[in-house]
Amino acid sequence: MSVWIAIGATAVGCYLVKFLGLAAPRGLLERPLVKRLAALLPVTLLAALTAQQTFSDGQHLLLDAKVAGVAAAALALVLRAPFLLVIGVAVVVTAGVRALGG
């Protein structure tokens, strides 16, 4: 039953956050700091999710083939490769490390 309480609390919380965003005064939303934070928040959350999924297994640090794939993708980004090539490099490196037993 506690799972349903958590789901209900999450649903209510999401609704309240959405409502507060709609009820916020326009002057508050037009401030440069608020605009910058709103633009950076999705990128920050995506980076945190990627790091959590790549480097952890529950409560433990996990270093496996995914780390090599992310490192290869980061190198491809530094070398200014097109996005699809970056994804392809990450996939190939991750699969290669796994095939070699990593």
Coordinates of all heavy atoms in Angstrom, one line a residue:
M1 N 0.8 -1.2 0.0 CA 0.0 0.0 0.0 C 0.9 1.3 0.0 O 0.4 2.3 -0.5 CB -0.9 0.0 1.2 CG -1.9 1.1 1.2 SD -3.1 0.9 -0.1 CE -4.2 2.2 0.2
S2 N 2.1 1.2 0.6 CA 2.9 2.4 0.6 C 3.4 2.8 -0.8 O 3.7 4.0 -1.0 CB 4.1 2.1 1.5 OG 4.9 1.1 1.0
V3 N 3.4 1.9 -1.7 CA 3.8 2.3 -3.1 C 2.7 3.2 -3.7 O 3.0 4.2 -4.3 CB 3.9 1.0 -4.0 CG1 4.1 1.4 -5.5 CG2 5.1 0.2 -3.5
W4 N 1.4 2.9 -3.4 CA 0.3 3.7 -3.9 C 0.3 5.1 -3.3 O 0.0 6.1 -3.9 CB -1.0 3.0 -3.8 CG -1.1 1.9 -4.8 CD1 -1.1 0.5 -4.5 CD2 -1.2 2.0 -6.2 NE1 -1.1 -0.2 -5.6 CE2 -1.3 0.7 -6.7 CE3 -1.3 3.1 -7.0 CZ2 -1.4 0.5 -8.1 CZ3 -1.5 2.8 -8.4 CH2 -1.5 1.5 -8.9
I5 N 0.7 5.1 -2.0 CA 0.8 6.4 -1.3 C 1.9 7.3 -2.0 O 1.7 8.5 -2.2 CB 1.1 6.2 0.2 CG1 -0.2 5.6 0.8 CG2 1.4 7.6 0.9 CD1 0.1 5.2 2.3
A6 N 3.0 6.6 -2.3 CA 4.1 7.3 -3.0 C 3.7 7.8 -4.4 O 4.0 8.9 -4.8 CB 5.3 6.4 -3.1
I7 N 3.0 7.0 -5.1 CA 2.5 7.4 -6.4 C 1.5 8.5 -6.3 O 1.6 9.5 -7.1 CB 1.9 6.2 -7.1 CG1 2.9 5.1 -7.5 CG2 1.1 6.6 -8.4 CD1 2.4 3.8 -8.0
G8 N 0.6 8.5 -5.4 CA -0.3 9.6 -5.2 C 0.4 10.8 -4.7 O 0.0 11.9 -5.3
A9 N 1.3 10.8 -3.8 CA 2.0 11.9 -3.4 C 2.8 12.6 -4.6 O 2.9 13.8 -4.7 CB 3.0 11.6 -2.2
T10 N 3.4 11.7 -5.4 CA 4.2 12.2 -6.5 C 3.2 12.9 -7.5 O 3.6 14.0 -8.1 CB 4.9 11.0 -7.2 OG1 5.8 10.4 -6.3 CG2 5.7 11.5 -8.4
A11 N 2.1 12.3 -7.8 CA 1.1 12.9 -8.7 C 0.6 14.3 -8.2 O 0.6 15.2 -8.9 CB -0.1 12.0 -8.9
V12 N 0.3 14.3 -6.9 CA -0.1 15.6 -6.3 C 1.0 16.6 -6.4 O 0.8 17.8 -6.7 CB -0.6 15.4 -4.9 CG1 -0.8 16.7 -4.2 CG2 -1.9 14.6 -4.9
G13 N 2.2 16.2 -6.1 CA 3.4 17.1 -6.1 C 3.6 17.6 -7.5 O 3.9 18.8 -7.7
C14 N 3.5 16.8 -8.5 CA 3.7 17.2 -9.9 C 2.6 18.2 -10.3 O 2.9 19.2 -11.0 CB 3.7 16.0 -10.9 SG 5.2 15.0 -10.7
Y15 N 1.4 17.9 -9.9 CA 0.3 18.9 -10.2 C 0.6 20.2 -9.5 O 0.4 21.3 -10.2 CB -1.0 18.3 -9.7 CG -2.2 19.2 -10.0 CD1 -2.7 19.4 -11.3 CD2 -2.7 20.0 -9.0 CE1 -3.7 20.2 -11.5 CE2 -3.7 20.9 -9.2 CZ -4.2 21.0 -10.5 OH -5.3 21.9 -10.7
L16 N 1.0 20.2 -8.3 CA 1.2 21.5 -7.6 C 2.4 22.3 -8.2 O 2.3 23.5 -8.3 CB 1.5 21.2 -6.1 CG 0.3 20.8 -5.3 CD1 0.7 20.4 -3.8 CD2 -0.7 21.9 -5.2
V17 N 3.4 21.6 -8.6 CA 4.6 22.3 -9.3 C 4.1 22.9 -10.6 O 4.4 24.1 -10.9 CB 5.7 21.3 -9.5 CG1 6.8 21.9 -10.5 CG2 6.4 20.9 -8.2
K18 N 3.3 22.2 -11.3 CA 2.8 22.7 -12.6 C 1.8 23.9 -12.3 O 1.9 25.0 -13.0 CB 2.0 21.6 -13.3 CG 1.4 22.0 -14.6 CD 2.5 22.1 -15.7 CE 1.9 22.2 -17.1 NZ 2.9 22.2 -18.1
F19 N 1.0 23.8 -11.3 CA 0.1 24.9 -10.9 C 0.8 26.1 -10.5 O 0.5 27.3 -10.8 CB -0.9 24.4 -9.8 CG -1.8 25.5 -9.4 CD1 -2.9 25.9 -10.2 CD2 -1.6 26.2 -8.2 CE1 -3.7 26.9 -9.8 CE2 -2.4 27.2 -7.8 CZ -3.5 27.6 -8.6
L20 N 1.9 25.9 -9.7 CA 2.7 27.1 -9.2 C 3.4 27.8 -10.3 O 3.5 29.0 -10.3 CB 3.7 26.6 -8.1 CG 3.1 26.2 -6.8 CD1 4.2 25.7 -5.9 CD2 2.4 27.4 -6.1
G21 N 3.8 27.0 -11.3 CA 4.4 27.6 -12.5 C 3.4 28.5 -13.3 O 3.8 29.5 -13.8
L22 N 2.2 28.0 -13.4 CA 1.2 28.8 -14.1 C 0.7 29.9 -13.3 O 0.3 31.0 -13.8 CB 0.0 27.8 -14.5 CG 0.3 26.7 -15.5 CD1 -0.9 25.8 -15.6 CD2 0.7 27.3 -16.8
A23 N 0.7 29.8 -12.0 CA 0.2 30.9 -11.1 C 1.3 31.9 -10.8 O 1.0 33.0 -10.2 CB -0.3 30.3 -9.8
A24 N 2.5 31.7 -11.2 CA 3.6 32.7 -10.9 C 3.4 34.0 -11.6 O 2.9 34.0 -12.8 CB 4.9 32.1 -11.3
P25 N 3.7 35.1 -11.0 CA 3.5 36.4 -11.7 C 4.4 36.5 -12.9 O 5.6 36.0 -12.9 CB 3.9 37.4 -10.6 CG 4.0 36.7 -9.3 CD 4.1 35.2 -9.6
R26 N 4.0 37.1 -13.9 CA 4.7 37.3 -15.2 C 6.1 38.0 -14.9 O 7.1 37.6 -15.5 CB 3.9 38.0 -16.2 CG 4.6 38.0 -17.6 CD 3.8 38.5 -18.7 NE 2.6 37.7 -18.9 CZ 2.7 36.6 -19.7 NH1 3.8 36.3 -20.3 NH2 1.6 35.9 -19.9
G27 N 6.1 38.9 -14.0 CA 7.3 39.6 -13.7 C 8.4 38.7 -13.2 O 9.6 38.9 -13.5
L28 N 8.0 37.8 -12.4 CA 9.0 36.8 -11.9 C 9.6 36.0 -13.0 O 10.8 35.7 -13.0 CB 8.3 35.9 -10.8 CG 9.1 34.8 -10.2 CD1 10.3 35.4 -9.4 CD2 8.3 33.9 -9.4
L29 N 8.7 35.5 -13.9 CA 9.2 34.6 -15.0 C 10.0 35.4 -16.0 O 10.7 34.8 -16.8 CB 8.0 34.0 -15.6 CG 7.1 33.1 -14.7 CD1 5.9 32.6 -15.5 CD2 8.0 32.0 -14.2
E30 N 9.9 36.7 -16.1 CA 10.7 37.5 -17.0 C 12.1 37.9 -16.6 O 12.9 38.4 -17.3 CB 9.9 38.8 -17.4 CG 8.6 38.5 -18.1 CD 8.7 37.8 -19.4 OE1 9.7 38.1 -20.1 OE2 7.9 37.0 -19.8
R31 N 12.4 37.6 -15.3 CA 13.8 37.9 -14.8 C 14.8 37.1 -15.5 O 14.6 35.9 -15.8 CB 13.8 37.7 -13.3 CG 12.9 38.6 -12.5 CD 13.1 38.3 -11.0 NE 12.2 39.2 -10.3 CZ 11.9 39.1 -9.0 NH1 12.5 38.1 -8.3 NH2 11.1 40.0 -8.4
P32 N 16.0 37.7 -15.8 CA 17.0 37.0 -16.5 C 17.5 35.7 -15.8 O 17.8 34.7 -16.4 CB 18.1 38.0 -16.7 CG 17.5 39.3 -16.5 CD 16.3 39.1 -15.6
L33 N 17.7 35.8 -14.4 CA 18.1 34.7 -13.7 C 17.2 33.5 -13.8 O 17.6 32.4 -14.0 CB 18.3 35.1 -12.2 CG 18.8 33.9 -11.3 CD1 20.1 33.4 -11.7 CD2 18.7 34.4 -9.8
V34 N 15.9 33.8 -13.7 CA 14.9 32.7 -13.8 C 14.9 32.1 -15.2 O 14.8 30.9 -15.4 CB 13.5 33.2 -13.5 CG1 12.4 32.2 -13.7 CG2 13.4 33.7 -12.0
K35 N 15.1 32.9 -16.2 CA 15.2 32.4 -17.6 C 16.4 31.5 -17.8 O 16.3 30.4 -18.4 CB 15.2 33.5 -18.6 CG 13.9 34.2 -18.8 CD 14.0 35.2 -19.9 CE 12.6 35.9 -20.2 NZ 12.7 36.8 -21.3
R36 N 17.5 31.9 -17.2 CA 18.8 31.1 -17.4 C 18.6 29.8 -16.6 O 19.0 28.7 -17.1 CB 20.0 31.9 -16.8 CG 20.7 32.7 -17.9 CD 22.0 33.3 -17.4 NE 21.6 34.5 -16.7 CZ 22.1 34.9 -15.5 NH1 23.1 34.3 -15.0 NH2 21.7 36.1 -15.0
L37 N 18.0 29.8 -15.4 CA 17.9 28.6 -14.7 C 16.9 27.7 -15.4 O 17.1 26.5 -15.4 CB 17.4 28.9 -13.3 CG 18.4 29.6 -12.3 CD1 17.7 29.9 -11.0 CD2 19.6 28.6 -12.1
A38 N 15.8 28.2 -15.9 CA 14.9 27.4 -16.6 C 15.5 26.7 -17.9 O 15.1 25.6 -18.3 CB 13.6 28.2 -17.0
A39 N 16.4 27.4 -18.5 CA 17.1 26.9 -19.7 C 18.1 25.8 -19.3 O 18.3 24.8 -20.1 CB 17.7 28.0 -20.5
L40 N 18.7 25.9 -18.2 CA 19.8 25.0 -17.8 C 19.3 23.8 -17.0 O 19.9 22.7 -17.0 CB 20.8 25.7 -17.0 CG 21.7 26.7 -17.7 CD1 22.6 27.4 -16.7 CD2 22.5 26.1 -18.8
L41 N 18.1 23.9 -16.5 CA 17.6 22.8 -15.6 C 17.4 21.5 -16.4 O 17.9 20.4 -15.9 CB 16.3 23.2 -15.0 CG 15.7 22.3 -13.9 CD1 16.7 22.2 -12.7 CD2 14.4 22.8 -13.4
P42 N 16.8 21.4 -17.6 CA 16.7 20.1 -18.2 C 18.0 19.5 -18.6 O 18.2 18.3 -18.4 CB 15.9 20.5 -19.5 CG 15.2 21.7 -19.3 CD 16.1 22.5 -18.3
V43 N 19.0 20.3 -19.0 CA 20.4 19.8 -19.3 C 21.0 19.2 -18.0 O 21.6 18.1 -18.0 CB 21.2 20.9 -19.9 CG1 22.7 20.4 -20.1 CG2 20.7 21.4 -21.2
T44 N 20.8 19.9 -16.9 CA 21.4 19.4 -15.6 C 20.7 18.1 -15.2 O 21.4 17.1 -14.8 CB 21.2 20.5 -14.5 OG1 21.7 21.7 -15.0 CG2 21.8 20.0 -13.2
L45 N 19.4 18.0 -15.3 CA 18.7 16.8 -14.9 C 19.1 15.6 -15.8 O 19.3 14.5 -15.3 CB 17.2 17.0 -14.9 CG 16.7 17.9 -13.8 CD1 15.2 18.2 -14.0 CD2 17.0 17.4 -12.5
L46 N 19.2 15.8 -17.1 CA 19.6 14.8 -18.0 C 21.1 14.3 -17.8 O 21.3 13.1 -17.8 CB 19.5 15.3 -19.5 CG 19.8 14.2 -20.5 CD1 18.9 13.0 -20.4 CD2 19.7 14.8 -21.9
A47 N 22.0 15.2 -17.5 CA 23.3 14.9 -17.1 C 23.4 14.0 -15.8 O 24.1 13.0 -15.8 CB 24.2 16.1 -17.0
A48 N 22.6 14.4 -14.9 CA 22.6 13.7 -13.6 C 22.0 12.3 -13.8 O 22.5 11.3 -13.3 CB 21.8 14.4 -12.6
L49 N 21.0 12.2 -14.6 CA 20.4 10.8 -14.9 C 21.4 10.0 -15.6 O 21.5 8.8 -15.3 CB 19.1 11.0 -15.7 CG 18.4 9.7 -16.1 CD1 18.0 8.9 -14.8 CD2 17.2 10.0 -17.0
T50 N 22.1 10.5 -16.6 CA 23.0 9.8 -17.4 C 24.2 9.3 -16.5 O 24.6 8.1 -16.6 CB 23.6 10.7 -18.5 OG1 22.6 11.1 -19.4 CG2 24.6 9.9 -19.3
A51 N 24.7 10.2 -15.6 CA 25.7 9.8 -14.7 C 25.3 8.7 -13.8 O 26.0 7.7 -13.5 CB 26.2 11.0 -13.9
Q52 N 24.1 8.8 -13.2 CA 23.6 7.8 -12.3 C 23.4 6.5 -13.0 O 23.7 5.4 -12.4 CB 22.2 8.3 -11.7 CG 21.7 7.5 -10.5 CD 20.9 6.3 -10.9 OE1 20.2 6.3 -11.9 NE2 20.9 5.3 -10.1
Q53 N 22.9 6.5 -14.2 CA 22.7 5.2 -14.9 C 24.0 4.6 -15.4 O 24.1 3.4 -15.5 CB 21.7 5.4 -16.1 CG 20.3 5.8 -15.7 CD 19.6 4.6 -15.1 OE1 19.7 3.5 -15.5 NE2 18.9 4.8 -14.0
T54 N 25.0 5.4 -15.7 CA 26.2 4.9 -16.2 C 27.2 4.4 -15.1 O 27.8 3.4 -15.2 CB 27.0 6.0 -17.0 OG1 26.1 6.4 -18.0 CG2 28.3 5.5 -17.6
F55 N 27.2 5.1 -14.0 CA 28.3 4.9 -13.0 C 27.8 4.2 -11.7 O 28.5 4.2 -10.7 CB 29.0 6.1 -12.7 CG 29.7 6.8 -13.8 CD1 29.3 8.0 -14.3 CD2 30.7 6.1 -14.5 CE1 29.9 8.6 -15.4 CE2 31.4 6.7 -15.6 CZ 30.9 7.9 -16.0
S56 N 26.5 3.8 -11.6 CA 26.1 3.2 -10.4 C 25.2 2.0 -10.6 O 24.6 1.8 -11.7 CB 25.3 4.2 -9.6 OG 24.0 4.4 -10.1
D57 N 25.2 1.1 -9.6 CA 24.3 0.0 -9.6 C 23.7 0.0 -8.2 O 24.2 -0.6 -7.2 CB 25.1 -1.3 -9.8 CG 24.3 -2.5 -9.8 OD1 23.1 -2.4 -10.1 OD2 24.8 -3.6 -9.5
G58 N 22.6 0.6 -8.1 CA 22.0 0.8 -6.8 C 22.8 1.8 -5.9 O 22.9 2.9 -6.2
Q59 N 23.4 1.3 -4.9 CA 24.2 2.1 -4.0 C 25.7 2.0 -4.2 O 26.4 2.5 -3.5 CB 23.9 1.7 -2.5 CG 22.4 1.9 -2.1 CD 22.1 3.4 -2.0 OE1 22.9 4.2 -1.6 NE2 20.9 3.7 -2.3
H60 N 26.1 1.3 -5.3 CA 27.5 1.0 -5.5 C 28.0 1.6 -6.8 O 27.3 1.7 -7.8 CB 27.7 -0.5 -5.5 CG 27.2 -1.2 -4.3 ND1 27.8 -1.1 -3.1 CD2 26.1 -2.0 -4.1 CE1 27.1 -1.9 -2.2 NE2 26.1 -2.4 -2.8
L61 N 29.2 2.1 -6.8 CA 29.9 2.6 -8.0 C 30.2 1.4 -8.9 O 30.7 0.4 -8.5 CB 31.2 3.3 -7.6 CG 32.0 3.9 -8.7 CD1 31.2 5.0 -9.4 CD2 33.3 4.4 -8.2
L62 N 29.9 1.6 -10.2 CA 30.0 0.5 -11.2 C 30.8 1.1 -12.3 O 30.4 2.0 -13.0 CB 28.6 0.1 -11.6 CG 28.6 -1.0 -12.7 CD1 29.1 -2.3 -12.1 CD2 27.2 -1.2 -13.2
L63 N 31.9 0.4 -12.6 CA 32.8 0.8 -13.7 C 32.8 -0.4 -14.7 O 33.5 -1.4 -14.4 CB 34.2 1.2 -13.3 CG 34.3 2.4 -12.3 CD1 35.7 2.6 -11.9 CD2 33.7 3.6 -13.0
D64 N 32.1 -0.3 -15.8 CA 32.0 -1.4 -16.8 C 32.1 -0.8 -18.2 O 32.7 0.3 -18.4 CB 30.8 -2.2 -16.6 CG 29.5 -1.4 -16.8 OD1 29.6 -0.2 -17.0 OD2 28.4 -2.0 -16.7
A65 N 31.6 -1.5 -19.2 CA 31.7 -1.1 -20.6 C 31.1 0.2 -20.9 O 31.5 0.9 -21.8 CB 31.2 -2.2 -21.4
K66 N 30.0 0.5 -20.1 CA 29.3 1.8 -20.4 C 30.3 3.0 -20.2 O 30.2 4.0 -20.9 CB 28.1 1.9 -19.5 CG 27.0 0.9 -19.8 CD 25.8 1.1 -18.9 CE 26.1 0.6 -17.5 NZ 25.0 0.5 -16.6
V67 N 31.2 2.9 -19.2 CA 32.1 4.0 -19.0 C 33.0 4.2 -20.2 O 33.3 5.3 -20.6 CB 33.0 3.7 -17.7 CG1 34.0 4.7 -17.5 CG2 32.1 3.6 -16.5
A68 N 33.5 3.1 -20.8 CA 34.3 3.2 -22.0 C 33.5 3.9 -23.1 O 34.0 4.7 -23.9 CB 34.8 1.9 -22.4
G69 N 32.2 3.5 -23.2 CA 31.4 4.1 -24.3 C 31.2 5.6 -24.1 O 31.2 6.4 -25.0
V70 N 30.9 6.0 -22.8 CA 30.7 7.4 -22.5 C 32.0 8.2 -22.7 O 32.0 9.3 -23.3 CB 30.2 7.6 -21.1 CG1 30.3 9.1 -20.6 CG2 28.8 7.1 -20.9
A71 N 33.2 7.6 -22.4 CA 34.5 8.2 -22.6 C 34.7 8.4 -24.1 O 35.2 9.5 -24.6 CB 35.6 7.4 -22.0
A72 N 34.4 7.4 -24.9 CA 34.6 7.5 -26.4 C 33.7 8.6 -26.9 O 34.1 9.3 -27.8 CB 34.3 6.1 -27.0
A73 N 32.4 8.6 -26.5 CA 31.5 9.6 -26.9 C 32.0 11.0 -26.6 O 31.9 12.0 -27.4 CB 30.1 9.4 -26.3
A74 N 32.5 11.2 -25.4 CA 33.1 12.5 -25.0 C 34.2 12.9 -25.8 O 34.3 14.1 -26.2 CB 33.5 12.4 -23.5
L75 N 35.1 11.9 -26.2 CA 36.2 12.2 -27.1 C 35.7 12.6 -28.4 O 36.2 13.6 -29.1 CB 37.1 11.0 -27.1 CG 38.4 11.2 -28.1 CD1 39.3 12.3 -27.6 CD2 39.1 9.9 -28.2
A76 N 34.7 11.9 -28.9 CA 34.1 12.3 -30.2 C 33.5 13.7 -30.2 O 33.6 14.4 -31.2 CB 33.1 11.2 -30.7
L77 N 32.9 14.0 -29.1 CA 32.4 15.4 -29.0 C 33.5 16.5 -29.0 O 33.3 17.5 -29.6 CB 31.5 15.5 -27.7 CG 30.1 14.9 -27.8 CD1 29.5 14.9 -26.4 CD2 29.3 15.6 -28.8
V78 N 34.5 16.2 -28.3 CA 35.7 17.1 -28.3 C 36.2 17.3 -29.7 O 36.7 18.4 -30.0 CB 36.8 16.6 -27.3 CG1 38.1 17.4 -27.4 CG2 36.3 16.7 -25.8
L79 N 36.2 16.2 -30.4 CA 36.7 16.3 -31.8 C 35.7 16.8 -32.8 O 35.9 16.8 -34.0 CB 37.2 14.9 -32.3 CG 38.4 14.3 -31.5 CD1 38.7 12.9 -31.9 CD2 39.6 15.2 -31.6
R80 N 34.6 17.3 -32.3 CA 33.5 17.9 -33.0 C 32.9 17.0 -34.1 O 32.6 17.4 -35.2 CB 33.9 19.2 -33.6 CG 34.4 20.3 -32.6 CD 34.6 21.6 -33.3 NE 35.1 22.6 -32.4 CZ 34.3 23.4 -31.7 NH1 33.0 23.2 -31.7 NH2 34.8 24.3 -30.9
A81 N 32.7 15.7 -33.7 CA 32.0 14.8 -34.6 C 30.5 15.1 -34.6 O 30.0 15.6 -33.7 CB 32.3 13.4 -34.1
P82 N 29.8 14.7 -35.7 CA 28.4 14.9 -35.8 C 27.7 14.0 -34.7 O 28.3 12.9 -34.3 CB 28.0 14.4 -37.2 CG 29.3 14.4 -38.0 CD 30.4 14.3 -37.0
F83 N 26.5 14.4 -34.3 CA 25.9 13.7 -33.2 C 25.6 12.2 -33.5 O 25.9 11.4 -32.6 CB 24.6 14.4 -32.9 CG 23.9 13.8 -31.7 CD1 24.4 14.0 -30.4 CD2 22.7 13.1 -31.8 CE1 23.8 13.5 -29.3 CE2 22.1 12.5 -30.7 CZ 22.6 12.7 -29.4
L84 N 25.2 11.9 -34.6 CA 24.9 10.5 -34.9 C 26.2 9.7 -34.9 O 26.2 8.5 -34.5 CB 24.3 10.3 -36.3 CG 22.8 10.7 -36.3 CD1 22.2 10.6 -37.7 CD2 22.0 9.9 -35.4
L85 N 27.3 10.2 -35.3 CA 28.6 9.6 -35.2 C 29.0 9.4 -33.8 O 29.6 8.3 -33.4 CB 29.7 10.3 -36.0 CG 31.1 9.7 -36.0 CD1 31.0 8.3 -36.7 CD2 32.0 10.6 -36.7
V86 N 28.8 10.4 -32.9 CA 29.1 10.3 -31.5 C 28.3 9.1 -30.9 O 28.9 8.3 -30.2 CB 28.7 11.6 -30.8 CG1 28.8 11.4 -29.2 CG2 29.6 12.7 -31.2
I87 N 27.0 9.0 -31.2 CA 26.2 7.8 -30.7 C 26.8 6.5 -31.2 O 26.9 5.5 -30.5 CB 24.7 8.0 -31.1 CG1 24.2 9.3 -30.5 CG2 23.9 6.8 -30.7 CD1 24.2 9.4 -29.0
G88 N 27.1 6.5 -32.5 CA 27.7 5.3 -33.1 C 29.0 4.9 -32.5 O 29.2 3.7 -32.2
V89 N 29.9 5.8 -32.2 CA 31.1 5.5 -31.6 C 30.9 4.9 -30.2 O 31.5 4.0 -29.8 CB 32.0 6.8 -31.5 CG1 33.2 6.6 -30.5 CG2 32.5 7.2 -32.9
A90 N 30.0 5.5 -29.4 CA 29.7 5.0 -28.1 C 29.1 3.6 -28.1 O 29.6 2.8 -27.3 CB 28.7 6.0 -27.4
V91 N 28.3 3.3 -29.1 CA 27.7 2.0 -29.2 C 28.8 1.0 -29.6 O 28.9 -0.1 -28.9 CB 26.6 2.0 -30.2 CG1 26.1 0.6 -30.6 CG2 25.4 2.8 -29.7
V92 N 29.6 1.3 -30.5 CA 30.6 0.4 -31.0 C 31.7 0.1 -29.9 O 32.0 -1.0 -29.7 CB 31.3 0.9 -32.3 CG1 32.6 0.1 -32.6 CG2 30.3 0.9 -33.4
V93 N 32.1 1.2 -29.2 CA 33.1 1.0 -28.1 C 32.5 0.2 -27.0 O 33.1 -0.8 -26.5 CB 33.6 2.3 -27.7 CG1 34.4 2.2 -26.4 CG2 34.5 3.0 -28.8
T94 N 31.3 0.5 -26.6 CA 30.6 -0.3 -25.5 C 30.5 -1.8 -25.9 O 30.8 -2.7 -25.1 CB 29.3 0.3 -25.2 OG1 29.4 1.7 -24.8 CG2 28.6 -0.5 -24.0
A95 N 30.0 -2.0 -27.1 CA 29.9 -3.4 -27.6 C 31.2 -4.1 -27.7 O 31.3 -5.3 -27.3 CB 29.1 -3.4 -28.9
G96 N 32.2 -3.4 -28.1 CA 33.6 -4.0 -28.2 C 34.1 -4.4 -26.9 O 34.7 -5.5 -26.7
V97 N 34.0 -3.5 -25.9 CA 34.5 -3.8 -24.6 C 33.7 -5.0 -24.0 O 34.3 -5.9 -23.3 CB 34.4 -2.5 -23.7 CG1 34.7 -2.9 -22.2 CG2 35.3 -1.5 -24.2
R98 N 32.4 -5.0 -24.2 CA 31.6 -6.1 -23.7 C 32.0 -7.4 -24.4 O 32.1 -8.5 -23.7 CB 30.1 -5.9 -23.9 CG 29.6 -4.9 -22.9 CD 28.1 -4.7 -23.0 NE 27.7 -3.8 -22.0 CZ 26.5 -3.2 -22.0 NH1 25.6 -3.4 -22.9 NH2 26.2 -2.3 -21.0
A99 N 32.3 -7.4 -25.7 CA 32.7 -8.6 -26.4 C 34.1 -9.1 -25.9 O 34.3 -10.3 -26.0 CB 32.8 -8.3 -27.9
L100 N 34.9 -8.2 -25.5 CA 36.2 -8.6 -25.0 C 36.2 -9.1 -23.5 O 37.2 -9.4 -23.0 CB 37.2 -7.4 -25.1 CG 37.6 -7.0 -26.6 CD1 38.4 -5.7 -26.6 CD2 38.3 -8.2 -27.3
G101 N 35.0 -9.0 -23.0 CA 34.8 -9.6 -21.6 C 34.8 -8.5 -20.6 O 34.9 -8.8 -19.4
G102 N 34.6 -7.3 -20.9 CA 34.6 -6.2 -19.9 C 33.3 -5.9 -19.4 O 32.2 -6.0 -19.3

